[in-house]
Amino acid sequence: QVQLVESGGGLVQAGGSLRLSCAVSGRAFSSDAMGWFRQAPGKQREFVSGISWSGDKTYNASSVKGRFAISRDNAKNTVYLQMNSLKLEDTAVYYCAVCITPFYDYVCLGGPREYDYWGQGTLVTVSS
């Protein structure tokens, strides 16, 4: 059974930082691409950051470029999202997801449909 468990969300002031973690079990984590998505109230789920198997390739949405960074520790089966300079509009439920791909240097950019397994989400609230 595949499980993804996010943690690290919470309330933070604008301009502050948070680091989200996502622990994955039930899969060969080092052979999966990973991604972070978010969904704000009344909005569609949107891609935030993606990372390849090895971690050598990453991609960030333009809305978070220069502020957020995705990374992974394959020895710990965990993917991270470091969020700096947080803005009010970053408030959302953040989800991590597994993308099954045979390509070690591939970042899955096909949207939520390309991802195969999802966590339950962790809430990030940015206050003024």
Side-chain angles (χ1 to χ4, degrees):
Q1 181 179 0
V2 180
Q3 286 192 317
L4 291 77
V5 180
E6 301 100 334
S7 60
L11 176 65
V12 62
Q13 284 193 322
S17 298
L18 280 176
R19 188 174 84 151
L20 305 183
S21 299
C22 173
V24 181
S25 60
R27 283 202 54 81
F29 176 77
S30 60
S31 299
D32 288 329
M34 297 294 299
W36 285 96
F37 288 76
R38 67 186 181 186
Q39 188 165 19
K43 295 189 175 181
Q44 289 189 333
R45 191 168 298 191
E46 66 172 354
F47 173 83
V48 176
S49 293
I51 191 166
S52 60
W53 288 13
S54 63
D56 289 346
K57 294 281 182 71
T58 63
Y59 187 90
N60 293 306
S62 57
S63 58
V64 305
K65 199 164 291 185
R67 300 189 298 121
F68 290 12
I70 189 171
S71 62
R72 66 190 296 161
D73 185 338
N74 287 344
K76 295 182 178 180
N77 286 9
T78 301
V79 63
Y80 304 97
L81 185 67
Q82 178 66 44
M83 306 187 294
N84 300 325
S85 303
L86 283 159
K87 303 177 180 180
L88 296 179
E89 53 264 40
D90 295 319
T91 295
V93 177
Y94 284 72
Y95 300 89
C96 67
V98 168
C99 177
I100 299 173
T101 171
F103 306 112
Y104 73 96
D105 61 349
Y106 180 71
V107 179
C108 298
L109 299 176
R113 291 185 178 181
E114 191 172 14
Y115 285 77
D116 302 279
Y117 298 98
W118 293 82
Q120 292 300 306
T122 185
L123 176 63
V124 172
T125 303
V126 183
S127 65
S128 59

